């Protein structure tokens, strides 16, 4: 299962400032080898080996344990050692402006976009910088309440109200994953955390987090602990997780566990869409092979493998891949619900006040303990 730091990707935003320190020339290495920085799952032999054989190239993998750390590593100069990166989309979006990533020509990938769902086709705003494309989407899902229907009803989670209900006291598991639990609580408080916030709005976020912590003692960093509590009924929901946390349980046959998105409140959607993307690092040794790897990762056949890994199961942007999934896989991935979740969600992006929100989170968490 993935690291507890898996989604704390907005921490370390200052890493972008390191980019200027890494502009020395790339180290030369054999054109028959490539280096790929990615999350677990992208390194599956089922994905990598066929590409290596088809392209007469050897790929060495560098697994990411947290997105800001991976970006900081590249920005500090390691970009010279890599060819392709697959990480959380905001960090791919930053690679171009940080001068450590290549921009893509949408026309060159027109056939790839044509295979995507319309929601992911060019021009795709989340990966755009100043009208230029920084990468291609690879996997996605949503953040919302996770419910074990053996112990609670889905309709009870049409809002985040139970998080503050004394009847649920100490039954709410809050994942200690930085921004991921903060964002839905801000949305519940009627605040859009993806815009510039004033002091009053930041204080409102403080108050809603304080109330959340007051109603639960279960603030958990270890996903396996959170999953165990969800399975045995100790927890009625996980806050700050979503499909990334539950798909592996559903894959194991626990279909009673579902991730949903609450109904819009005060004019604000209450869910969050996360996405991973692939980008080409600046000046790859072999540009054609770097583009070929991006094409491979987004092809329908490989997208299915990327969606269905040992570590986790996730949705992919490829519409053509949908026909290749089995009915069982579609059920595990909650594909019958994905567009409803999309329509009720915000797309996760840079939050201008994230550092202040994380500071508030830490202060209120310390006070609660």
């Amino acid at each position: 299962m993935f690291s507890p730091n898996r989604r704390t990707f907005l921490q370390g935003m200052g890493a972008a400032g390191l980019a200027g320190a890494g502009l020395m020339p790339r180290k030369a290495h054999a054109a028959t080898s490539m280096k790929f920085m990615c999350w677990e799952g992208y390194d599956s032999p089922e994905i990598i080996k066929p590409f290596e054989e088809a392209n007469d190239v050897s790929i060495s993998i560098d697994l990411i344990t947290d997105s800001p750390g991976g970006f900081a590593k590249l920005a500090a100069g390691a970009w010279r050692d890599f060819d392709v990166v697959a990480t959380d989309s905001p960090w791919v979006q930053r690679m171009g402006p940080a001068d450590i990533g290549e921009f893509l020509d949408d026309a060159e990938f027109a056939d790839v976009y044509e295979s995507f769902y319309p929601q992911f086709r060019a021009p795709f705003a989340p990966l755009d910088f100043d009208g230029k494309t920084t990468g291609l989407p690879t996997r996605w899902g949503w953040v919302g309440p996770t419910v074990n229907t053996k112990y609670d009803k889905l309709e009870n989670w049409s809002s985040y109200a139970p998080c503050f209900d004394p009847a649920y006291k100490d039954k709410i598991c809050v994942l200690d994953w930085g921004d991921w639990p903060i964002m839905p609580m801000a949305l519940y408080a009627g605040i859009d955390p993806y815009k510039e916030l004033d002091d009053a709005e930041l204080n409102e976020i403080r108050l809603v987090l304080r109330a959340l912590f007051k109603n639960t003692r279960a603030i958990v960093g270890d996903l396996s602990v959170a999953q165990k509590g969800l399975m045995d009924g100790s927890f009625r929901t996980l806050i700050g997780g979503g499909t990334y946390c539950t798909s592996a349980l559903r894959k194991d046959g626990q279909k009673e566990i579902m991730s949903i998105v609450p109904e819009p409140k005060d004019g604000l959607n209450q869910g969050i869409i996360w996405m991973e993307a692939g980008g080409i690092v600046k000046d790859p040794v072999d540009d054609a092979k770097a583009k070929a790897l991006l094409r491979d990762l987004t092809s329908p056949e490989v997208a299915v493998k990327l969606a269905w890994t040992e570590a986790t199961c996730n949705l992919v942007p490829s519409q053509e891949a949908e026909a290749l999934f089995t009915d069982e896989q579609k059920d595990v991935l909650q594909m019958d619900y994905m567009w409803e979740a999309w329509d009720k969600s915000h797309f996760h992006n840079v939050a201008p006040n994230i550092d202040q929100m994380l500071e508030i989170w830490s202060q209120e968490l310390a006070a609660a303990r």
Side-chain angles (χ1 to χ4, degrees), residues 45-66:
E46 289 188 341
I47 294 173
I48 297 299
K49 286 191 176 301
F51 180 84
E52 289 179 320
E53 293 170 0
N55 292 275
D56 190 25
V57 66
S58 173
I59 298 179
S60 58
I61 302 290
D62 188 277
L63 284 180
I64 299 171
T65 55
D66 69 288

Side-chain angles (χ1 to χ4, degrees), residues 31-145:
T32 55
S33 67
M34 297 175 65
K35 195 161 184 181
F36 182 26
M37 177 185 282
C38 60
W39 283 110
E40 189 176 10
Y42 292 81
D43 62 327
S44 167
E46 289 188 341
I47 294 173
I48 297 299
K49 286 191 176 301
F51 180 84
E52 289 179 320
E53 293 170 0
N55 292 275
D56 190 25
V57 66
S58 173
I59 298 179
S60 58
I61 302 290
D62 188 277
L63 284 180
I64 299 171
T65 55
D66 69 288
S67 290
F71 183 86
K73 182 176 179 178
L74 293 172
W79 65 269
R80 297 188 296 271
D81 300 324
F82 289 90
D83 299 278
V84 176
V85 172
T87 184
D88 290 299
S89 57
W91 295 101
V92 173
Q93 197 263 358
R94 285 169 178 73
M95 286 173 56
D99 202 26
I100 58 172
E102 298 283 337
F103 292 106
L104 304 181
D105 180 357
D106 286 341
E108 190 173 352
F109 292 93
D111 58 319
V112 175
Y113 284 117
E114 190 62 28
S115 71
F116 285 174
Y117 293 108
Q119 290 85 344
F120 295 95
R121 291 177 187 170
F124 185 56
L127 290 171
D128 175 90
F129 175 78
D130 199 21
K132 295 180 285 189
T133 297
T134 57
L136 295 176
T138 51
R139 296 196 301 197
W140 68 283
W142 62 85
V143 173

